[in-house]
Amino acid sequence: MISPITRSLTPRSFIILYADDMLLVAASISELQRLFNNCERELEWLDMRINVKKIPLPANWSYRFNISCARITTSDGHSIPWVEERYPGVHIVAGRQFRCSFTHAKQSFYRSINAIFGKIGRIASEEVILQLIKMHANFTVGLECFSVAKHDVRSLDFAVTRFLMKSFRSSNINVIDECRLFFNFMLPSEKIE
């Protein structure tokens, strides 16, 4: 797995690179604007442009999270909108403290797994079904940069465990744990740890 690259530019700002995503973290709007302008200049030097439609900014997380912020602007004058949530690998939610939401990830997991399970049903072997679950239960991408609340981790485990119960036709958690051990299948909590 690729680890995120974090670079501190000042004591108050960071750039976190993960695969093809970039997350800019700054203590103030003016610092974020400066950081954004520096990144924009570097990308222009590489003959690359920022697509403003693909980078809405997540609303801030501080005691002033419900106050609207000045917009960040690009060098050609386009304004980047602030939004409630944004997906840079995880959904960041505006609030008094930094918090992630896994609702969208779990919805996507259920949608894709149920679609696959509807096609292969009981025809495929347990190994194939578990491999498909592993591929779609990748909730841990990008979480190396964040601390995740215990209730969120339990919620992710629950989503995967429920589908394992469906796959193995058992609601007995001991049976599911034995199957996980036999197939060397890790829950999201074990991956995050």
Side-chain angles (χ1 to χ4, degrees), residues 144-164:
E144 295 89 353
C145 302
F146 309 107
S147 60
V148 182
K150 287 181 182 177
H151 69 274
D152 287 330
V153 174
R154 284 192 303 268
S155 176
L156 295 174
D157 282 352
F158 179 78
V160 174
T161 302
R162 291 300 299 164
F163 194 78
L164 292 173

Side-chain angles (χ1 to χ4, degrees), residues 10-191:
T10 68
R12 303 176 329 186
S13 65
F14 295 89
I15 298 176
I16 300 170
L17 303 172
Y18 191 85
D20 64 344
D21 289 328
M22 183 185 322
L23 176 65
L24 306 179
V25 179
S28 68
I29 302 299
S30 57
E31 184 70 20
L32 183 61
Q33 179 69 59
R34 186 190 67 74
L35 195 59
F36 181 81
N37 290 343
N38 289 341
C39 289
E40 193 174 29
R41 276 193 296 279
E42 286 294 318
L43 289 171
E44 285 174 3
W45 183 80
L46 295 169
D47 199 26
M48 298 173 77
R49 299 254 180 248
I50 294 175
N51 185 348
V52 179
K53 294 175 184 173
K54 290 188 175 184
I55 56 164
L57 299 164
N60 67 5
W61 56 91
S62 69
Y63 66 94
R64 299 176 55 181
F65 76 95
N66 55 352
I67 298 171
S68 61
C69 300
R71 289 195 171 192
I72 302 297
T73 56
T74 63
S75 60
D76 59 356
H78 288 95
S79 185
I80 302 171
W82 293 94
V83 295
E84 283 301 311
E85 294 182 342
R86 175 64 184 134
Y87 185 80
V90 291
H91 275 77
I92 299 173
V93 182
R96 292 190 185 277
Q97 296 178 353
F98 183 85
R99 193 172 66 82
C100 300
S101 170
F102 296 97
T103 303
H104 298 281
K106 288 190 300 184
Q107 287 172 347
S108 175
F109 169 73
Y110 284 128
R111 206 172 20 252
S112 59
I113 290 298
N114 283 325
I116 291 169
F117 199 78
K119 298 283 185 201
I120 61 172
R122 304 283 179 211
I123 299 168
S125 68
E126 287 82 9
E127 292 89 357
V128 171
I129 291 172
L130 287 178
Q131 192 59 37
L132 290 170
I133 294 172
K134 281 182 187 179
M135 289 171 37
H136 289 280
N138 197 6
F139 300 116
T140 59
V141 173
L143 294 182
E144 295 89 353
C145 302
F146 309 107
S147 60
V148 182
K150 287 181 182 177
H151 69 274
D152 287 330
V153 174
R154 284 192 303 268
S155 176
L156 295 174
D157 282 352
F158 179 78
V160 174
T161 302
R162 291 300 299 164
F163 194 78
L164 292 173
M165 288 177 172
K166 181 179 180 179
S167 298
F168 291 113
R169 298 181 193 158
S170 174
S171 59
N172 185 336
I173 195 66
N174 295 327
V175 170
I176 300 305
D177 286 341
E178 285 293 321
C179 291
R180 283 190 327 96
L181 287 172
F182 180 76
F183 288 105
N184 195 23
F185 186 89
M186 292 172 58
L187 290 174
S189 61
E190 296 165 330
K191 290 180 183 178

